[in-house]
Amino acid sequence: MSEPLSAVVVAAGRSQRMGFDKLLTPLGGRPLLLHTLERLLRTEVPAEIILVIRPGSEAEMEAVIAPLRGQGDIRLVPGGAQRQDSVQAGLQAVADSSEFVLVHDAARPFVTKELVDVVLAAAKLSDAAVCGAPCSDSLKEVAEDGLVLQTIDRSRLWAVQTPQIFRTKLLRDAYQSALQAGATFTDDTAVVEKMGHPVRIVLYNGINLKVTTPADWKLAELLLQFGDGESGPGQLLRKHLHDMNNHLTPLLGYAYLMVMEFPEDSRPKKFATSIQASAERCQVTTADMQKLVRELFPRKAE
């Protein structure tokens, strides 16, 4: 990557909906925060990580991230009362040499290199980009008494996630404008939109769960444990797919030889051609599955 990129990881929340400090609590044997930072470091994209934390939690956070010291440039910065205050604090600590800044929720532990790369590519085109997915649930506007006011057309609605990537100067200018206007935002792209700058959204179909509720916690724990260790189910699935691909390669060769052996329009040739086409489709499907497994259950070297 030619342009320097800094990451601002927002970890200053109080986990009110969870009922306990989710970032420092072990999830699958290690603190949730550690999973997120490890995955982000594996992307090998950020030149630095600015970890925005609650004021007064420096000692706890240092203890959590101690295993990562030496693997990358991670700096702790105290956050503010609101999310936008924390992001602004992180932005102030970003190196002036950084062309782009990535903002990511500390409670999203499934970030991958592919995800960061696709959002960064979009940010290079539009200066501001975010990953997300079209809304799949029906949406209702509801009154305070619980009665439905109307059904909202979801055809053009997307749910946005993080990472969100911006030209560093653009996001700094947008937050400065928001500060002067006294406006409050819970999403960084909304700050840029308010300034009048367009934001490009990119589809991401992989798992990018934000751990917010106890149900999210259980799901994240299952996903992390499923792929943990060389003997875990995730790594066994990786091995089986690798073996399947190794078996398909000679099968394709045999099918090609069979096709060449028989005369055109003969029944054996049609049969052999069908075998060859089926083997090719199986190989494509296996490759797609291998890619998905690498995203869900990456090894530390990947």
Side-chain angles (χ1 to χ4, degrees), residues 56 136 172 212 243 248 262 266 277 284:
S136 58
R172 280 175 168 165
T212 304
D243 291 344
L248 282 170
F262 300 113
S266 68
V284 170

Side-chain angles (χ1 to χ4, degrees), residues 58-74:
E58 289 82 358
E60 292 176 287
M61 288 296 186
E62 279 290 356
V64 169
I65 68 173
L68 303 180
R69 288 303 187 192
Q71 297 185 33
D73 181 8
I74 303 176

Side-chain angles (χ1 to χ4, degrees), residues 1-255:
M1 185 193 69
S2 57
E3 297 87 350
L5 179 144
S6 296
V8 173
V9 177
V10 186
R14 297 191 177 276
S15 307
Q16 292 179 345
R17 280 175 284 183
M18 188 66 74
F20 57 87
D21 193 334
K22 61 188 178 185
L23 296 181
L24 300 181
T25 301
L27 176 67
R30 288 176 295 168
L32 169 58
L33 176 61
L34 198 60
H35 288 290
T36 302
L37 294 176
E38 281 184 338
R39 290 284 185 105
L40 196 55
L41 286 170
R42 283 182 213 165
T43 69
E44 299 181 350
V45 177
E48 61 177 357
I49 296 177
I50 309 300
L51 182 61
V52 187
I53 62 173
R54 291 195 311 274
S57 66
E58 289 82 358
E60 292 176 287
M61 288 296 186
E62 279 290 356
V64 169
I65 68 173
L68 303 180
R69 288 303 187 192
Q71 297 185 33
D73 181 8
I74 303 176
R75 288 183 283 134
L76 304 185
V77 171
Q82 303 294 330
R83 185 183 189 281
Q84 70 181 55
D85 300 323
S86 295
V87 174
Q88 280 184 296
L91 280 172
Q92 292 175 359
V94 165
D96 291 336
S97 60
S98 286
E99 183 71 17
F100 290 91
V101 60
L102 175 155
V103 182
H104 188 59
D105 298 322
R108 290 189 189 272
F110 297 101
V111 60
T112 64
K113 183 174 183 353
E114 181 191 29
L115 174 55
V116 172
D117 286 347
V118 72
V119 179
L120 180 56
K124 290 179 179 179
L125 291 174
S126 302
D127 299 334
V130 58
C131 63
C135 291
S136 58
D137 295 327
S138 295
L139 301 174
K140 306 283 186 180
E141 182 182 356
V142 182
E144 291 183 3
D145 60 3
L147 294 178
V148 173
L149 297 176
Q150 64 172 326
T151 299
I152 299 173
D153 180 12
R154 71 184 185 200
S155 61
R156 300 177 66 183
L157 298 179
W158 284 52
V160 298
Q161 306 166 353
T162 68
Q164 302 180 3
I165 301 180
F166 311 86
R167 295 274 179 185
T168 304
K169 184 179 185 307
L170 171 64
L171 190 59
R172 280 175 168 165
D173 290 346
Y175 264 108
Q176 184 61 35
S177 177
L179 180 64
Q180 293 174 351
T184 302
F185 300 91
T186 59
D187 176 76
D188 304 298
T189 56
V191 182
V192 173
E193 292 163 23
K194 183 66 175 178
M195 190 178 169
H197 196 287
V199 175
R200 186 177 298 272
I201 191 166
V202 293
L203 176 64
Y204 183 64
N205 287 319
I207 292 177
N208 192 24
L209 174 69
K210 183 178 182 182
V211 182
T212 304
T213 66
D216 297 332
W217 183 272
K218 291 183 180 298
L219 178 57
E221 191 168 39
L222 286 172
L223 290 169
L224 288 169
Q225 289 178 346
F226 189 71
D228 189 38
E230 289 301 314
S231 61
Q235 302 307 336
L236 290 176
L237 180 59
R238 179 195 290 259
K239 178 182 181 300
H240 291 322
L241 287 171
H242 178 76
D243 291 344
M244 183 184 298
N245 195 57
N246 284 343
H247 291 309
L248 282 170
T249 299
L251 179 60
L252 275 170
Y254 299 149

